[in-house]
């Protein structure tokens, strides 16, 4: 699934003295990094990403399935909000590159990458959702690659067919686990949270022949994947054996994948859950 370089020979001959003085003023590496008293200089690092954070209220003892959905950072009504007195408050976040348009009110489409060589949308939509149920645990995610990712992660069961139902038969392209720190429920403590990442995709239902003008059908009997889902999921387990599954999904088509695949992978891997 250009870099530009400046030619130093293009400098005017009359600039030599200026260039020499500028280099002298810059000083050596030690001067650049440390003050006269030996303390390090404060480095100003320009942010390259924006963190998108959403709040989640998760039931401690879910008696039935409870669902919350945030699309592009905005909550979508599901009618299944748990009662406030019996919830854990957590936040879920992910990071998107600032070179994408992240302003929905802008003239450019959301997630449009206008950087050189790109000039197109890199992402269809970003979703964070939670599913709380009595039989949800980390073992649910551990078995997902064998049982089916969409089914295990409730992707085919969210209200109003939130995801294209073709995801139920999507192919699992790859997967891995990662571990990140999370605040412990014991004040001041730090735990380790396991995240499961999955790459799933499915091809168009119809694939016209090459002779019919479809340049992507090379006579192999199928077309390239056109619906791609980069998924990261984790579960916060409750004392009663129930759990709260929290999932981030980045959706794109094949054209968006060509533009943003490296950024999309980084964004997916930036998904983090934190207790309030």
């Amino acid at each position: 699934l250009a870099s530009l370089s400046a030619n130093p020979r293009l400098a005017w001959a009359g600039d030599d003295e200026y260039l020499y003085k500028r280099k002298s003023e810059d000083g050596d590496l030690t001067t650049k990094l440390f003050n006269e008293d030996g303390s390090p200089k404060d480095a100003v690092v320009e942010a390259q990403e924006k963190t998108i954070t959403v709040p989640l209220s998760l039931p401690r003892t879910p008696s039935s399935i409870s669902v919350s959905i945030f699309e592009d950072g905005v909550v979508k009504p599901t009618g299944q909000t748990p009662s406030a007195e019996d919830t854990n408050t957590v936040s879920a976040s992910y990071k998107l590159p600032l070179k994408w348009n992240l302003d929905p009110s802008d003239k450019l489409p959301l997630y449009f990458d206008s950087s050189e060589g790109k000039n197109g949308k890199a992402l269809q939509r970003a979703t964070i959702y939670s599913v709380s149920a009595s039989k949800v645990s980390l073992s649910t995610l551990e078995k997902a690659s064998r049982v089916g990712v969409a089914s295990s992660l409730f992707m085919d069961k969210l209200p109003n067919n939130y995801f294209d139902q073709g995801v139920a038969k999507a192919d699992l392209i790859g997967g891995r686990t990662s571990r990140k720190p999370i605040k412990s429920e014991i004040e001041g403590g730090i735990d380790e949270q396991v995240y499961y990442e999955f790459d799933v995709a499915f091809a168009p239902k119809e694939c016209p022949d090459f002779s019919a003008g479809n340049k992507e059908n090379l006579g192999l009997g199928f077309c390239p994947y056109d619906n791609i889902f980069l998924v990261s999921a984790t579960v916060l387990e409750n004392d009663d054996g129930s759990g709260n599954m929290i999932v981030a999904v980045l959706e794109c088509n094949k054209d968006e994948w060509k533009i943003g695949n490296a950024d999309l992978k980084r964004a997916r891997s930036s998904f983090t859950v934190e207790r309030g």
Side-chain angles (χ1 to χ4, degrees), residues 186-256:
I186 300 174
E187 187 174 354
I190 297 294
D191 292 334
E192 190 176 63
Q193 189 69 24
V194 181
Y195 294 77
Y196 287 76
E197 296 183 358
F198 305 99
D199 302 345
V200 296
F202 62 92
K205 294 180 180 179
E206 298 181 0
C207 187
D209 293 335
F210 185 88
S211 59
N214 184 9
K215 296 181 180 180
E216 294 182 336
N217 187 340
L218 303 180
L220 301 176
F222 58 87
C223 280
Y225 294 121
D226 194 34
N227 295 270
I228 302 161
F229 303 80
L230 298 186
V231 183
S232 180
T234 192
V235 172
L236 297 179
E237 298 178 328
N238 297 317
D239 293 337
D240 66 347
S242 63
N244 301 290
M245 181 184 295
I246 308 165
V247 186
V249 183
L250 303 181
E251 295 176 65
C252 64
N253 58 35
K254 61 180 183 297
D255 296 325
E256 293 160 346

Side-chain angles (χ1 to χ4, degrees), residues 81-173:
T81 305
S83 58
E85 65 272 10
D86 191 27
T87 61
N88 281 321
T89 300
V90 305
S91 62
S93 64
Y94 54 93
K95 297 178 181 179
L96 297 179
L98 287 174
K99 64 181 180 179
W100 295 356
N101 172 40
L102 304 179
D103 182 0
S105 64
D106 193 271
K107 293 184 295 183
L108 291 173
L110 191 63
Y111 307 132
F112 191 92
D113 186 344
S114 54
S115 57
E116 185 177 358
K118 303 292 186 177
N119 204 37
K121 279 188 61 125
L123 174 64
Q124 195 66 36
R125 66 176 176 179
T127 301
I128 287 181
Y129 68 90
S130 65
V131 178
S132 303
S134 58
K135 295 183 179 181
V136 166
S137 66
L138 280 170
S139 65
T140 306
L141 300 179
E142 183 182 354
K143 300 173 184 176
S145 60
R146 302 189 300 273
V147 177
V149 174
S151 176
S152 298
L153 274 60
F154 300 88
M155 295 177 71
D156 56 346
K157 302 179 185 68
L158 294 185
N160 304 315
N161 292 333
Y162 182 80
F163 291 113
D164 187 311
Q165 293 304 286
V167 73
K169 296 183 179 180
D171 295 330
L172 175 60
I173 309 302

Side-chain angles (χ1 to χ4, degrees), residues 67-71 74-78 127-130 158-159 162:
V67 178
S68 296
I69 302 175
F70 286 80
E71 181 179 315
V74 179
V75 66
K76 292 184 70 68
T78 62
T127 301
I128 287 181
Y129 68 90
S130 65
L158 294 185
Y162 182 80

Side-chain angles (χ1 to χ4, degrees), residues 42-60:
D42 293 332
V44 178
V45 180
E46 184 177 353
Q48 300 296 316
E49 299 173 315
K50 179 180 180 180
T51 301
I52 312 298
T53 304
V54 302
L56 296 168
S57 294
L58 306 176
R60 297 178 186 274

